[in-house]
Amino acid sequence: MCIRDRVSTQSTGVHHLPSLTKAMSSKAIILLGGPTKGTRFRPLSLELPKPLFPVAGFPMVYHHIKACSLLPDLDEIILLGFFEPESFSEFITTTSQELNVNIRYLKENKVMGTAGGLYKFKAQILENSPEQIFVLHSDILCSFPLKEILEFHRKHGKEATMLVKKVDPQVAQRFGCVVKDPETNEILHYAEKPETYVSDLANCGVYLFSPSIFEQLDRIASTVVNNAAEEGAAGNFALSGSLLSSTSLPPLSINEIPFQLEQDILEPKTGNKLIYAYETKDFWVQIKQAGMTLLSNELLLKQYRRVSPDLLARSEKGGPQIIGDVIIHPSAQIHPTAKIGPNVCIGKNVIVEAGVRVKQALILDQSELRARSCIMYSIIGWGSSVGKWTRVEGTPDYDGKADFRSCGITIFGNGVSTCNEICIRNVIALPHKSLSGSVSDDVLL
């Protein structure tokens, strides 16, 4: 499954399957963000929206949609963001048909925070009176235990459930931190990226809400608009953690107010027997930097081994040697003497010549790896070319000590080429760069 097979410029914001005969009881909202976000994901996001970047053989957001499509009584999935709708049109059509699920794209007109769009499109979200509403951030990947969360949510019967995961205490402050009752799992306290240690339970960015959550959004929006009318643009009425500014507020429409889901909605509800935590023991990764896609790829391929082994390539007589978990697009041409894996995805129309070694890498569509080249811990961008006997490698550091974009992974943008017999190590190369000599620890503009 290849990103180039899924994305076109045809414009359509919604794809509905033939009408269903019964009202459904669940909806899922996936928060996509927009083109002004994701700068840490460059140069990969220069070519396509970050949620459509291929990880483990599929666009990143496909993994969210696939998990949601397995929910019982799902009415529809809403993609919410401020990308142009045509960026997602063919992806929506193809994925809707493949997974037999209704998908709709709703476009925000500006940056509205993680909850402003939920309020703006409240009427569309509450259509058909869903009993519960999943909300997922698109920049995380995990095993998505949505059925288990649904069962847990129905059991406690309160307003919200948050997926949480125990993380290394040394990095916990990078995430929203949760303190919960060890017996009831009620969330007693929440802090978004606290300055000091609070807890090693991280907010995973996956929520299940009862529709009553919109009553709180109504109250907040009404308060903000009333204060704006009374005090004017200089009034001090910004929400805690929201995008509102007390120094320069334009006239406010009640449907255009920015909210932060975590600080403005969830945090005030903690300790009131309203929000509960479902803890996952499985993998979870947040994808802020481009280099984190390589770790995500590894974790998803490992999951495929358990749940979708038919997606993985195997060594066959007369074919290349496959080691560990590998996905190869059917159109790729792999020389029988190549050695591929572990944790490799090779995209559409890739050419891999004799004696090539690839491990821990994403090789994107139309790329060419010339004879005897070696690719390790790297992302080779669309249409790139690696010369003969050239070594391209990274030194992964997913804990954040390396370059904040690459995580120590070497990343080629679109159309990068190298000459023969050089070494490229820990490099970010922007699109269409031509590398004529060895280079390390650099960003090539």
Side-chain angles (χ1 to χ4, degrees):
M1 198 71 62
C2 177
I3 192 67
R4 297 299 191 194
D5 298 329
R6 289 184 166 273
V7 181
S8 78
T9 58
Q10 298 174 8
S11 178
T12 174
V14 57
H15 181 84
H16 285 295
L17 299 173
S19 60
L20 302 175
T21 58
K22 59 173 285 189
M24 302 300 181
S25 60
S26 298
K27 286 196 180 186
I29 319 298
I30 302 176
L31 306 178
L32 301 180
T36 61
K37 299 289 185 180
T39 56
R40 287 176 288 179
F41 205 72
R42 294 174 183 167
L44 303 178
S45 58
L46 295 174
E47 303 303 318
L48 79 176
K50 176 181 173 181
L52 294 180
F53 182 80
V55 180
F58 297 89
M60 191 185 303
V61 73
Y62 176 92
H63 301 284
H64 303 65
I65 295 173
K66 177 70 177 291
C68 293
S69 72
L70 300 176
L71 287 166
D73 297 334
L74 181 71
D75 181 20
E76 69 173 346
I77 297 170
I78 294 175
L79 306 181
L80 190 58
F82 51 100
F83 293 100
E84 291 303 319
E86 55 266 24
S87 300
F88 288 83
S89 60
E90 187 171 328
F91 169 78
I92 288 173
T93 300
T94 304
T95 305
S96 295
Q97 294 171 350
E98 177 186 336
L99 300 178
N100 194 35
V101 63
N102 293 326
I103 303 175
R104 172 161 38 164
Y105 181 84
L106 298 177
K107 183 181 182 297
E108 302 169 356
N109 296 322
K110 62 179 183 179
V111 179
M112 299 187 69
T114 53
L118 296 177
Y119 188 70
K120 176 180 176 66
F121 296 108
K122 176 180 70 171
Q124 292 91 327
I125 293 171
L126 294 180
E127 284 176 2
N128 298 331
S129 302
E131 295 175 9
Q132 54 270 323
I133 301 163
F134 280 93
V135 176
L136 300 84
H137 286 280
S138 66
D139 62 353
I140 63 98
L141 283 170
C142 63
S143 59
F144 294 111
L146 302 185
K147 290 182 180 179
E148 292 84 351
I149 292 173
L150 179 58
E151 182 180 350
F152 175 79
H153 183 80
R154 286 174 170 168
K155 185 176 294 185
H156 68 67
K158 303 299 181 180
E159 285 194 4
T161 298
M162 177 192 297
L163 182 67
V164 301
K165 166 77 175 176
K166 192 175 288 275
V167 298
D168 185 339
Q170 294 186 345
V171 301
Q173 291 168 237
R174 300 177 188 174
F175 311 110
C177 294
V178 174
V179 178
K180 71 179 182 74
D181 186 306
E183 295 183 1
T184 66
N185 292 302
E186 179 197 352
I187 296 180
L188 304 174
H189 178 65
Y190 179 80
E192 181 67 21
K193 298 178 183 177
E195 295 183 0
T196 58
Y197 177 81
V198 172
S199 167
D200 61 356
L201 275 181
N203 173 9
C204 293
V206 176
Y207 313 100
L208 182 54
F209 295 111
S210 298
S212 59
I213 192 71
F214 285 98
E215 296 175 6
Q216 182 178 357
L217 285 168
D218 283 332
R219 290 192 295 270
I220 294 174
S222 297
T223 300
V224 170
V225 171
N226 290 338
N227 286 345
E230 293 175 3
E231 303 186 35
N236 184 15
F237 46 80
L239 302 176
S240 61
S242 78
L243 301 179
L244 292 176
S245 166
S246 62
T247 57
S248 58
L249 271 173
L252 288 174
S253 164
I254 198 165
N255 289 326
E256 297 290 336
I257 296 174
F259 296 107
Q260 294 293 5
L261 179 62
E262 293 76 13
Q263 296 99 312
D264 296 327
I265 308 302
L266 296 175
E267 191 172 323
K269 287 181 173 290
T270 58
N272 294 309
K273 300 187 185 304
L274 295 173
I275 305 180
Y276 288 75
Y278 180 86
E279 183 176 353
T280 179
K281 304 296 184 181
D282 211 336
F283 77 92
W284 171 77
V285 61
Q286 187 179 55
I287 309 174
K288 297 295 186 183
Q289 303 93 336
M292 291 301 290
T293 57
L294 205 56
L295 175 61
S296 304
N297 184 69
E298 176 181 345
L299 295 171
L300 284 170
L301 291 180
K302 184 178 180 180
Q303 178 176 262
Y304 288 174
R305 196 193 315 158
R306 301 194 311 267
V307 301
S308 301
D310 55 306
L311 294 174
L312 300 177
R314 298 176 179 86
S315 294
E316 297 179 357
K317 186 176 181 179
Q321 182 180 357
I322 305 298
I323 302 171
D325 302 324
V326 173
I327 287 181
I328 299 175
H329 192 277
S331 66
Q333 301 176 42
I334 315 293
H335 195 275
T337 61
K339 190 175 182 179
I340 311 295
N343 304 317
V344 171
C345 281
I346 294 180
K348 182 180 179 182
N349 294 325
V350 167
I351 297 175
V352 179
E353 295 185 353
V356 169
R357 178 70 174 104
V358 185
K359 74 173 186 178
Q360 299 283 356
L362 296 175
I363 313 299
L364 302 184
D365 300 350
Q366 318 294 335
S367 294
E368 183 175 2
L369 310 182
R370 304 294 301 279
R372 308 303 190 277
S373 59
C374 179
I375 317 296
M376 300 188 297
Y377 294 102
S378 299
I379 300 171
I380 306 300
W382 305 270
S384 293
S385 176
V386 177
K388 296 178 180 179
W389 292 99
T390 288
R391 185 182 185 94
V392 180
E393 65 180 354
T395 52
D397 175 14
Y398 300 120
D399 291 331
K401 297 176 183 177
D403 183 277
F404 74 98
R405 283 163 294 188
S406 73
C407 304
I409 303 301
T410 287
I411 301 173
F412 285 5
N414 178 49
V416 173
S417 62
T418 81
C419 67
N420 299 333
E421 301 179 10
I422 62 174
C423 182
I424 310 297
R425 180 181 290 116
N426 301 345
V427 165
I428 298 177
L430 267 66
H432 308 296
K433 292 296 294 183
S434 181
L435 310 183
S436 58
S438 296
V439 61
S440 64
D441 302 305
D442 204 354
V443 178
L444 306 177
L445 303 176

